[in-house]
Amino acid sequence: EMKRIYIGRMKIFVNLITISRILFAIPLFFIMDKIGSRKLMCVIACFLLTDQLDGFLARKFHAQSLFGAAMDTLADKVLCLTLLILVGRYKPIAYFLIIGEILIAITNATASIKGKHAKSSKLGKLKMWVLSITIILGILTINNHIPYIVFQIATIFTILFQIKVSIDYIQTLRKEKKTKRKPS
């Protein structure tokens, strides 16, 4: 009984960490221009670390849940899209990354509506790290800390990752469909 209560409380704690990414991402629109780039980078680093922390804690304390997984995906998308919109205000090439993330989200949502779910792949997680690094590079180009060409190259590389992840995801969903159709 105590263990069940403990796991329940841990689920709440982990989900609060996840939801914090959504709640604190939106105000970035209003504070980005008011805080320095170093402070902004620290805030973004904290957000990215919470993505790792909530997943680690959920696995370690057996506090995984369908709600937590869905919120984690939503929080990742909200945070990344918020940051990409912020970068896109200054560097419009970022909008290509937004389109890629929206297409991935639509594919994921469509599959979920149809009752399908492909687990997050290592490639998908790697794509999120590549996207995160690209966003950071975009922010650094806004303040001319690095040359714009670095962000452009990273953007092209990230778009290729997005395409590969989308293709793999669709193939995984098709395989799932075929295996479900086979008679027993």
Side-chain angles (χ1 to χ4, degrees):
E1 180 66 28
M2 289 298 286
K3 185 177 181 179
R4 195 174 58 116
I5 292 170
Y6 175 76
I7 290 173
R9 287 182 179 165
M10 187 54 75
K11 282 182 183 180
I12 292 169
F13 178 69
V14 169
N15 288 335
L16 285 174
I17 293 171
T18 303
I19 292 169
S20 73
R21 284 202 308 280
I22 297 171
L23 297 176
F24 293 114
I26 306 303
L28 285 176
F29 280 115
F30 308 105
I31 66 168
M32 181 180 175
D33 293 331
K34 293 174 179 59
I35 65 174
S37 60
R38 286 189 179 152
K39 287 180 185 175
L40 181 63
M41 296 306 289
C42 288
V43 168
I44 292 168
C46 288
F47 282 138
L48 297 175
L49 289 174
T50 63
D51 186 28
Q52 295 304 306
L53 180 64
D54 62 3
F56 170 77
L57 291 174
R59 287 185 297 278
K60 180 164 177 65
F61 296 103
H62 307 288
Q64 296 121 316
S65 67
L66 185 57
F67 174 79
M71 289 309 297
D72 186 58
T73 301
L74 178 64
D76 289 346
K77 292 298 179 209
V78 168
L79 177 61
C80 286
L81 291 174
T82 299
L83 294 172
L84 286 169
I85 290 168
L86 291 172
V87 172
R89 290 188 343 204
Y90 302 95
K91 308 294 180 184
I93 193 174
Y95 291 118
F96 288 106
L97 297 171
I98 293 170
I99 292 167
E101 287 304 300
I102 289 172
L103 291 175
I104 291 170
I106 289 170
T107 303
N108 193 352
T110 303
S112 293
I113 289 168
K114 293 181 178 181
K116 300 176 189 173
H117 179 67
K119 280 195 154 196
S120 182
S121 68
K122 289 183 182 188
L123 181 66
K125 290 177 183 181
L126 180 60
K127 188 269 309 170
M128 281 305 295
W129 277 102
V130 169
L131 179 63
S132 299
I133 291 167
T134 301
I135 290 169
I136 290 168
L137 293 173
I139 291 167
L140 291 172
T141 61
I142 291 169
N143 299 310
N144 296 317
H145 293 298
I146 62 169
Y148 182 53
I149 188 73
V150 174
F151 176 59
Q152 289 174 314
I153 292 168
T155 298
I156 292 167
F157 188 68
T158 305
I159 289 168
L160 294 174
F161 257 93
Q162 288 174 323
I163 292 168
K164 176 67 173 143
V165 165
S166 296
I167 290 169
D168 284 0
Y169 189 72
I170 290 167
Q171 288 175 341
T172 300
L173 292 171
R174 283 187 178 159
K175 286 178 187 174
E176 182 181 310
K177 184 178 182 178
K178 288 178 183 174
T179 56
K180 284 186 176 180
R181 284 187 177 175
K182 288 183 181 177
S184 327

